[in-house]
Structures are given as C-alpha cells and as structure tokens.
Amino acid sequence: MGRKNLSDIRRFEIVQGFARVFARHGFAKATIVDAAHEAGLAPALLHHYFESKQAILTALVTQLAEGVQARIE
C-alpha cells in the first residue's frame, strides 16, 4: 500500500473534524468554520478540499462505510 498524499490526509482530517462537530451540533448547526477549526485549518482552506457541507457529509458516510467493510473482511 502506498503512502497517502497530503491532499488525502487533509481531506481525512477535515472529515474527522466535521464528524466531531456534527456529533455535538447536528448537521443543521454544524458549520464549515467549526469543522475547519476542529481540523486545525483556516476555513478558506477547507473550501479548497470540499465545495460544501454536504460534500463533507458524503465523504464522512463513505469513510464510515469503508471502515465497516474493512471490519467485515
């Protein structure tokens, strides 16, 4: 398995930060700014990796599904 590039790492960090914000506040009250701060990034940088809150949620669901699949295998 190859090393992940910085973009993949940043996207993962953003999604994990969003997951924590989402767990505390729910989707409607979770903000891009809060997710960026939770991931340790500037909000403007977050938009470089994801176009919307919905896109981050989609990535979160994908990560969760991949984790479940890995455990099953």
Side-chain angles (χ1 to χ4, degrees):
M1 178 185 266
R3 264 175 44 178
K4 290 190 175 213
N5 65 35
L6 183 58
S7 181
D8 290 338
I9 293 167
R10 286 282 188 251
R11 289 176 61 84
F12 180 82
E13 291 170 345
I14 291 166
V15 171
Q16 293 303 302
F18 179 76
R20 291 187 295 272
V21 172
F22 179 60
R24 284 193 304 265
H25 303 291
F27 183 75
K29 292 184 180 178
T31 68
I32 293 290
V33 172
D34 289 339
H37 289 202
E38 191 73 32
L41 302 171
L45 187 57
L46 189 140
H47 286 288
H48 174 75
Y49 295 100
F50 291 97
E51 63 190 35
S52 67
K53 189 166 71 167
Q54 180 67 39
I56 303 171
L57 179 62
T58 300
L60 173 59
V61 171
T62 299
Q63 280 185 11
L64 292 171
E66 289 171 354
V68 168
Q69 185 63 35
R71 287 181 182 184
I72 290 171
E73 292 172 358

